Amino acid sequence: MSNRDIIVIGGSAGATAPLKQILGRLPPDLPAAVFIVLHIPAQGIGILSTVASSAGPLPVRQAENGMKIEPGRVYLAAPDHHLLLSEDRVFLGRGPRENMVRPAIDALFRSAAINYGPRVIGVLLSGLLSDGSAGLNAIKRCGGISVVQDPSDAIADELPRSALEATIIDLCVPGAGMGDVLSDLAREAAGAALPIPPEIRLEVEIAAGERIGSDRLVSMADPVALTCPACGGVLSEMKESHPMRFRCQVGHAFAADVLAKEQEGQVDEALRVALRIIEERAELVQRMAADGRRNGRPAVAEMYQARAAEYREYADMIRRVVLKSLDPPIRKREA
């Protein structure tokens, strides 16, 4: 039987430190290939050198389309491309962003799951929100192993905590000890292969850039009264998804917490636009009131003055809402 020879690692904020610890502890004879997705800007630079300087004896390369997969090597996602795996090669996808990012952790994890099943070890490190949780769930559904950084050890604990809530986690390990754990897991025999859920395969095709269309989307999601923040299209809620996720007909994908974060920004922007329009309206009728007084029309001036005061009250109310949204009350932790 084959060993667990595919290690996929994802992280965002605060993930660089534990990633350095992991790569520094992996041995030169590691019988597995390592694939890494960090959330980086489309024009990000310096990540490759940062990872390579920490990889110890393992060679690190930025993934290129068609690159052959070999054990004992580290492959880093390229900016603005989904890192996807086939049976023996890497390929880069330009499909829609997931959780507003490309490369997305979920895309890598799903492609590993459908092609390597029980041979996959999925690892989530420090990060914000929940990108990667759905992908780790896909790895588990296809027979792989799931590992997360101990949230108490993470700089940003949202990502590992989301994974713990979304799926069964096999190991929860501090960053300092994860390299040794992965080295041991890679030498173990893989389990039995499991059937590949068709919706996971479809989502990998979307990440690769294939057209989704409403006819294919309806097979794995139900339309809801929500709008895609990326393109303005109708969103559909993925069926039986953990965590809760949404996709639009174009293919943009969002975990519920990421969608809520994007909506929060849109609400804030809408309030600021409304505030500007009302303040401009107040300024206009104030000038109209002054013009009425200058021209000996006191009744008209009084009417416009009252409207100006009313608009100022509306503006003050919106301003208070905007300020409150920037400084939400701190919730008390449950005992």
Side-chain angles (χ1 to χ4, degrees):
M1 295 180 64
S2 174
N3 61 300
R4 298 190 178 106
D5 57 352
I6 299 293
I7 300 174
V8 290
I9 301 175
S12 59
T16 303
L19 181 60
K20 288 180 177 180
Q21 293 174 319
I22 291 170
L23 296 179
R25 297 290 298 178
L26 294 178
D29 61 344
L30 182 74
V34 181
F35 304 87
I36 300 170
V37 166
L38 298 178
H39 289 168
I40 53 178
Q43 304 300 323
I45 59 175
I47 297 295
L48 178 60
S49 60
T50 298
V51 174
S53 66
S54 308
L58 299 182
V60 178
R61 291 190 63 184
Q62 182 169 288
E64 299 175 4
N65 203 47
M67 183 179 287
K68 185 174 177 59
I69 295 174
E70 301 179 67
R73 296 181 181 273
V74 179
Y75 302 84
L76 182 65
D80 204 30
H81 292 78
H82 292 307
L83 174 57
L84 305 173
L85 309 184
S86 64
E87 292 184 359
D88 63 348
R89 295 188 181 274
V90 168
F91 65 100
L92 305 181
R94 286 303 303 271
R97 298 177 185 274
E98 294 198 34
N99 294 320
M100 303 302 289
V101 295
R102 186 177 54 215
I105 302 169
D106 284 327
L108 168 63
F109 282 18
R110 290 191 202 102
S111 69
I114 68 170
N115 286 290
Y116 293 93
R119 294 160 58 185
V120 179
I121 304 169
V123 183
L124 282 179
L125 304 177
S126 172
L128 299 173
L129 300 176
S130 62
D131 186 28
S133 295
L136 202 60
N137 181 263
I139 288 173
K140 287 297 297 178
R141 292 175 67 188
C142 295
I145 294 289
S146 59
V147 182
V148 299
Q149 183 180 359
D150 187 337
S152 64
D153 179 61
I155 294 175
D157 66 357
E158 291 181 28
L159 196 154
R161 287 191 187 279
S162 296
L164 286 166
E165 295 171 359
T167 192
I168 297 172
I169 300 300
D170 295 296
L171 293 168
C172 183
V173 186
M178 195 172 288
D180 293 332
V181 169
L182 296 178
S183 180
D184 291 339
L185 288 174
R187 287 176 167 78
E188 294 179 356
L194 299 178
I196 304 300
E199 67 273 15
I200 298 178
R201 192 179 299 278
L202 177 55
E203 290 199 89
V204 173
E205 293 173 2
I206 295 170
E210 295 191 19
R211 179 182 176 276
I212 177 172
S214 58
D215 54 335
R216 303 185 76 191
L217 182 60
V218 74
S219 68
M220 62 178 181
D222 297 316
V224 293
L226 295 171
T227 301
C228 174
C231 68
V234 175
L235 286 173
S236 295
E237 181 178 350
M238 301 294 292
K239 299 174 182 178
E240 300 180 6
S241 178
H242 303 284
M244 180 185 293
R245 293 186 301 120
F246 302 87
R247 275 194 185 270
C248 70
Q249 293 185 12
V250 173
H252 297 118
F254 303 89
D257 58 345
V258 178
L259 180 61
K261 188 72 173 178
E262 290 299 314
Q263 288 180 335
E264 181 181 335
Q266 291 180 341
V267 169
D268 181 70
E269 183 64 24
L271 287 172
R272 292 181 185 278
V273 171
L275 178 61
R276 176 183 60 79
I277 293 172
I278 291 176
E279 286 185 331
E280 288 180 358
R281 180 68 173 171
E283 176 66 22
L284 175 60
V285 295
Q286 184 73 48
R287 290 177 177 273
M288 294 170 72
D291 181 68
R293 285 190 292 271
R294 284 194 300 269
N295 290 284
R297 303 166 63 192
V300 172
E302 184 177 348
M303 178 188 68
Y304 283 132
Q305 189 66 46
R307 288 186 182 178
E310 185 178 355
Y311 288 135
R312 299 290 186 197
E313 289 181 3
Y314 292 156
D316 288 341
M317 183 185 303
I318 293 176
R319 189 177 292 106
R320 288 194 295 271
V321 171
V322 170
L323 292 175
K324 187 175 181 180
S325 71
L326 294 175
D327 188 23
I330 300 174
R331 296 181 180 178
K332 294 182 178 179
R333 291 184 177 271
E334 297 181 2

